[in-house]
Amino acid sequence: MQVLVTGASGWVGSAVVRELLHGGHQVTGLVRSSAGATALAAIGAGSVLGTLDDLALLQHSAAQADAVIHTAFNHDFSRFADNCAQDQRAIAALGAGLAGSDKPLLVTSGVAHLAQGRPATEADLPADPPGYPRRSEAAARELAQQGVRAATVRLAPSVHGVGDQGFMRILINLARQTGVSAYLGDGQNCWPAVHREDAALLYRLALESGVQQPVYHAIDESGIPFRQIATAIGQGLGLPVAERGPEHFGWFAGFAGLHMPTSSARTSALLGWHTAAPGLLADLALPAYFQS
C-alpha cells in the first residue's frame, strides 16, 4: 500500500514509518520541515511539507493514498484545548479525502478515563470527561458513521524506548529539577505501557488486516504501579523516591494520578500481535534512558 503517515518524524510516527517500509509498503510522511523530509528520504520514504492546519493539503494527500495513519498531535500542553481542536479538524480533513473510497484511516488516541474499577477493554467507549477536550476517537467514530473505514489505535500513556520524549521524559526532567522522584498518594495507581517498536507493529498489522475493528489497544504491560516507575527513575538518576502532593507535579498532576489499567487481549487475538521489545521498567534500567 501507499500509506500517508502524519507526524512521520515524531516519536511514534517515525517508528510506524520504519515498520511500514520493513513490511514492503510505500510511505509518504507529513513533516513540518525540510530536515524531516531529508530524514524520510534517507530511509526510502517520500514526504509532503505541511502542518495539521493545512486542511486542504491533508484532504488532497489522503485522497492520493491507499491508507492513512494519523499519529501527529501537538503536545504543547499550555495550549492543550487548542491543539485538541486542531486535531479534530485534521481528522475531519483526512476523512474527507478518503470519503467514498473504503480506504482505511487509523487515528491515534489514548486510554485515560476509559473505565473505573476494572481494566479497560477495546469495548469501552471513548471517554468524555469534563475538562478533557481531546476527542480524537470521537472524530474517528463520526467518520465511521459517515461510511469512512476509520478506526482508533489507543496508545498506552508510556510509549517508551531509548530517546523517549513522552511522559517518561517529563517525569525524568521533573525529578532532576526538584531533586526527588515522586509519586502521588500511595503510588499504586497503574499506568499501562508499550515499547514504540511494538506499537508500530500493531499499526501495520491493523492496516494489513483491513481495519475491521473500531478500536485497537497498543498495550503491552496492562498496568505498572506509578510508585515503581518513580522508583526506577530515582534509581536511574541517583535521587530519593518519595510521596509528594499534586503541587509538586504542577500541570502534570492530573496525569500522574491517573489509574488506567488496560487490557489488549482482544487486539492481540484479532491481529496475532505479540510484543517482543523490553518492558518499561527494563528500559528505565538502561543508563542511556537518562542521557539528555
Side-chain angles (χ1 to χ4, degrees):
M1 286 181 277
Q2 175 65 50
V3 186
L4 173 68
V5 178
T6 70
S9 59
W11 176 244
V12 174
S14 60
V16 170
V17 169
R18 290 193 301 272
E19 178 63 37
L20 290 170
L21 292 172
H22 178 73
H25 302 285
Q26 296 178 319
V27 179
T28 298
L30 177 73
V31 291
R32 292 175 293 176
S33 69
S34 57
T38 299
L40 286 178
I43 61 172
S47 61
V48 56
L49 286 175
T51 73
L52 295 183
D53 290 320
D54 297 323
L55 301 182
L57 175 66
L58 293 176
Q59 181 173 342
H60 174 77
S61 299
Q64 301 304 305
D66 297 320
V68 178
I69 296 177
H70 176 53
T71 71
F73 188 82
N74 186 337
H75 286 94
D76 176 0
F77 287 99
S78 68
R79 303 182 65 254
F80 189 52
D82 290 341
N83 296 338
C84 290
Q86 179 192 55
D87 180 58
Q88 287 180 262
R89 292 191 296 269
I91 292 169
L94 293 168
L98 299 174
S101 69
D102 203 37
K103 298 175 183 178
L105 166 65
L106 285 173
V107 166
T108 303
S109 187
V111 299
H113 306 292
L114 284 175
Q116 297 293 326
R118 59 169 175 78
T121 73
E122 294 87 343
D124 286 307
L125 295 175
D128 189 20
Y132 190 76
R134 188 164 183 180
R135 300 289 183 270
S136 308
E137 183 173 343
R141 287 177 179 265
E142 183 176 342
L143 288 174
Q145 291 173 356
Q146 298 168 7
V148 177
R149 188 180 290 276
T152 301
V153 174
R154 293 174 178 163
L155 290 176
S158 175
V159 182
H160 58 88
V162 173
D164 191 337
Q165 295 301 311
F167 283 170
M168 290 304 107
R169 179 56 52 187
I170 290 173
L171 291 169
I172 289 168
N173 289 342
L174 180 63
R176 283 194 173 114
Q177 293 162 10
T178 62
V180 61
S181 182
Y183 54 88
L184 282 165
D186 62 5
Q188 293 308 302
N189 59 299
C190 290
W191 274 29
V194 68
H195 195 283
R196 72 165 176 160
E197 302 299 337
D198 288 326
L201 173 62
L202 185 148
Y203 279 94
R204 178 172 68 80
L205 293 176
L207 204 64
E208 292 175 349
S209 76
V211 184
Q212 299 296 319
Q213 302 296 319
V215 171
Y216 300 94
H217 275 186
I219 306 294
D220 176 19
E221 298 170 286
S222 62
I224 305 168
F226 195 87
R227 184 169 181 168
Q228 291 185 21
I229 297 171
T231 298
I233 291 172
Q235 291 173 343
L237 295 174
L239 292 174
V241 180
E243 177 189 353
R244 289 291 186 268
E247 67 281 356
H248 174 88
F249 294 91
W251 67 268
F252 194 70
F255 292 102
L258 285 174
H259 180 60
M260 40 188 163
T262 307
S263 168
S264 61
R266 179 169 174 78
T267 294
S268 296
L270 289 170
L271 298 181
W273 179 60
H274 302 290
T275 59
L280 175 58
L281 298 181
D283 253 359
L284 288 172
L286 300 173
Y289 221 91
F290 299 90
Q291 296 175 356
S292 299

